[in-house]
Amino acid sequence: MVLQKKKMTKERFLKAFKRDKYLYLLFLPILIWYIIFCYLPMGGLVIAFQEFSPGLGLFKSKFVGFKWFIQFFGSPFAYRLVRNTVLISLYSLVFGFPVPILFAVCVTELRNTAIRKTVQTVSYLPHFISTVVVVGMIKNFLSMNDGIINNFIALLGGERINFLMDPKYFRTIYVASGVWQSFGYSSIIYIAAIVGIDPSLYESAKIDGITKFKEVWYITVPMIAPTITILFIMQLGRIMSVGFEKVFLLYSPGVYETADVISTYVYRKGIESSEYGFSTAVGLFNSVINFLFVFGANQVCHKLTNTSLW
Amino acid sequence: MILSKKKNDIIGSFSDGAFYALVYVFALVAFFITLYPFVYVLAVSMSGGEAINKGIVWLYPVDISFEGYKQVMFNNKSIWLAYGNTIYYTVVGTVFNIVATVIAAYPLSRTTFSGRRFFNFLIAFVMYFHGGLIPTYLLITNIGLYNSRWVMIIPGLVTSYNVMVCRSAFSAIPDEIMESASIDGANDIHILSRIAIKLITPTLAVITLYYAVSHWNNFFTALLYISDSNLHPLQVLLRRVLIQASSELMDNSTGLEEKLIVSLQVRYVTIVVATLPILAIYPFLQKYFVKGVMLGAVKG
């Protein structure tokens, strides 16, 4: 009986395999790619628990347990890095999140189609400019001697400010330029949600003689509230993942106090100083926290909407 | 009664007027703020050195001069070398991306494909958790991709997100089409290459664009894995010139004073030269980007 069942599963499997052989053939290279480039590095995370030396390799390096984690959390950097990472995300969320919503409401109220299209198209543009160029513009605009911002301050009779070397400006620069880069593109989804609202709601409101302000407040905002909620939760889930590139390109040793985030620290320790074990441990700590946040956010969204990314 | 309605109307239309004024002001401010940095960069790139030095260029070029363009474009060939590399990585990389994404997504979209659930989990999981910088770095340097053109293409072969978008496009093809093809004796490879792929071209256009933009803008991969400057893409050169203020694109024969003026202009010219192709094709492509957001939204 059991034997027969076993035989049947085997037969079924063979039959399925024969039927799907071309699908397997297609998928095989991708499977291999995923194993090599995504799953092997996950295996490589054991480095976080080793005194890793590239000469000895993964299997012969000495196992040191949680040494690197203890070292990291015992250092003054742990607090600073987590604080900077969280604060940069949090400020980006607080200042960056409402702008696309406000912009979407305004854009959809523009009655002149040509103006509306132009404003919209231009607003997406910064999203497609590379981080290097964006940071290049920021640095040159803020430059002490010949940047436009300081030229303007000087024109008004003010004192030139060394924005890029003063830690107290870093987050402002990062967040403000981040809003500039993303508000237009982020607004697309809200615009679609607003356009999708049933026009009869507005028509009946008009008959009741409601003002435009009230219309936005009592119809538009409640109707796009689900979209807002979902996007807010997803952003909260990314609170521990600050994009490496922009911080890396924008910061300098003088502003590490407010600018250095976990990913840039891992880069310096791992790639520049070759402290593989230690930096892998720090990176792993970040990955795990990230995973928990994103997973949690996804679960909450799932509960709210019965859809999920998973 | 009638009077009070009239009064309400007046208040209403006044308030609506304020509403529209606010809406237009906000939209125009957003428009201006988005566009101004580009306008300013363009203005400085075409101005005369003295005007730049005096800081009187704000909105339009003053004493129009193309000295900066001459230096950046004709003085040495490094920007063209970097340009060529970026075009190479973008074209070859995107072709690889598309082929790989399609052959990943098609099997996963077939409901009969055994192992589908497991493979779907396999590709979704890496969106949430990955090995991180150091293990990946050690892997890539150990398999001989360091300082190879392939490093710009192979490690970023597919993005799980794009595979999922492509998968949903395949899933949306009506079953009858596939069935009739397979009754006619076509195998899966035929169905994919002759029928299915043609039915998802709108999605493919969006994905192509996403991959191409990310290749064009890719800076980090080259920073990590390419030290040979002959292989450097544009973004790495841009970093040296714009952010580290390298003077490599400048004419070395000019005097120090002149150099200071020109150095700013050279940087702005470099921005123009590097972003102009994107700005030029952007208006024609932007509708696909918008579509891309919606593809993702439907999926989510």
Side-chain angles (χ1 to χ4, degrees), chain B residues 189-235:
Chain B
I189 293 181
H190 286 140
I191 297 177
L192 170 62
S193 60
R194 306 234 174 100
I195 303 166
I197 206 153
K198 291 186 183 124
L199 296 172
I200 64 154
T201 36
T203 304
L204 280 186
V206 172
I207 293 178
T208 306
L209 218 51
Y210 275 171
Y211 277 128
V213 169
S214 79
H215 279 294
W216 187 274
N217 289 342
N218 186 353
F219 147 78
F220 191 42
T221 314
L223 171 81
L224 283 177
Y225 304 116
I226 296 187
S227 58
D228 179 354
S229 63
N230 286 322
L231 299 178
H232 274 164
L234 193 55
Q235 301 300 331

Side-chain angles (χ1 to χ4, degrees), chain B residues 10-38:
Chain B
I10 292 166
I11 294 171
S13 67
F14 176 74
S15 144
D16 284 0
F19 176 81
Y20 283 112
L22 214 65
V23 160
Y24 273 89
V25 166
F26 185 78
L28 288 178
V29 167
F31 175 79
F32 184 75
I33 289 176
T34 315
L35 211 52
Y36 182 68
F38 298 110

Side-chain angles (χ1 to χ4, degrees), chain A residues 16-17 19-20 22-27 29-31 33-34 36-42 44-45 47 52 99 102-103 106 109-112 115 118-126 128-130 132-133 135-137 139-141 146-148 151-152 155 180 183 185 188-189 192 210-213 216 244-245 248-249 263 266-267 270-271 276 279-280 284 287-288 291 294-295 298 307-310, chain B residues 12 15-16 18-20 22-24 26-27 30-31 33-38 40-41 55 58 100 103-104 106-108 110 112-115 119 121-123 125-126 128-131 133-140 143 145 154-160 163-164 187-189 192 210 213 217 219-220 223-224 235 238-239 242-243 264 267-268 271 275 278-279 282 286 289-290 293-294 297 299-300:
Chain A
F17 188 80
R19 183 192 62 215
D20 293 339
Y22 291 111
L23 295 179
Y24 278 107
L25 193 65
L26 287 171
F27 197 71
I30 304 302
L31 182 65
W33 183 87
Y34 266 99
I36 295 178
F37 289 100
C38 297
Y39 287 94
L40 272 187
M42 277 185 219
L45 283 169
I47 296 171
F52 181 79
V99 180
L102 199 60
F103 181 70
C106 286
E109 291 291 348
L110 295 176
R111 284 166 167 179
N112 183 320
I115 294 182
T118 313
V119 170
Q120 245 176 298
T121 305
V122 166
S123 75
Y124 312 147
L125 182 59
F128 299 101
I129 303 299
S130 73
V132 178
V133 170
V135 173
M137 291 207 278
K139 284 213 163 181
N140 284 298
F141 288 171
D146 50 19
I148 179 171
N151 281 354
F152 191 67
L155 190 76
W180 179 80
F183 81 91
Y185 196 69
I188 294 177
I189 202 150
I210 195 173
T211 63
K212 288 299 287 182
F213 283 108
V216 166
F244 166 87
E245 270 190 33
F248 173 75
L249 291 165
S263 54
V266 170
Y267 174 85
I271 308 292
Y276 296 124
S279 56
T280 305
L284 177 60
S287 294
V288 170
F291 176 77
V294 175
F295 188 75
N298 203 32
T307 57
S308 90
L309 283 173
W310 196 262
Chain B
S15 144
D16 284 0
F19 176 81
Y20 283 112
L22 214 65
V23 160
Y24 273 89
F26 185 78
F31 175 79
I33 289 176
T34 315
L35 211 52
Y36 182 68
F38 298 110
Y40 174 71
V41 167
W58 296 103
I103 64 171
Y106 179 74
L108 295 177
R110 307 317 307 146
T112 57
F113 183 42
S114 46
F119 294 137
F121 175 79
L122 207 71
I123 66 159
F125 184 71
V126 302
Y128 294 86
F129 193 81
H130 51 85
L133 179 68
I134 307 304
T136 312
Y137 176 81
L138 292 172
L139 171 82
I140 287 177
I143 58 177
L145 284 176
I154 300 298
L157 189 63
V158 288
T159 314
S160 291
V163 172
M164 290 165 143
N187 66 39
D188 276 307
I189 293 181
L192 170 62
Y210 275 171
V213 169
N217 289 342
F219 147 78
F220 191 42
L223 171 81
L224 283 177
Q235 301 300 331
L238 288 177
R239 178 192 176 217
L242 299 180
I243 299 173
L264 177 79
R267 292 201 293 273
Y268 285 0
I271 293 179
T275 45
I278 294 193
L279 298 189
Y282 168 75
Q286 60 103 4
F289 291 123
V290 175
V293 174
M294 295 338 287
K299 189 195 67 67

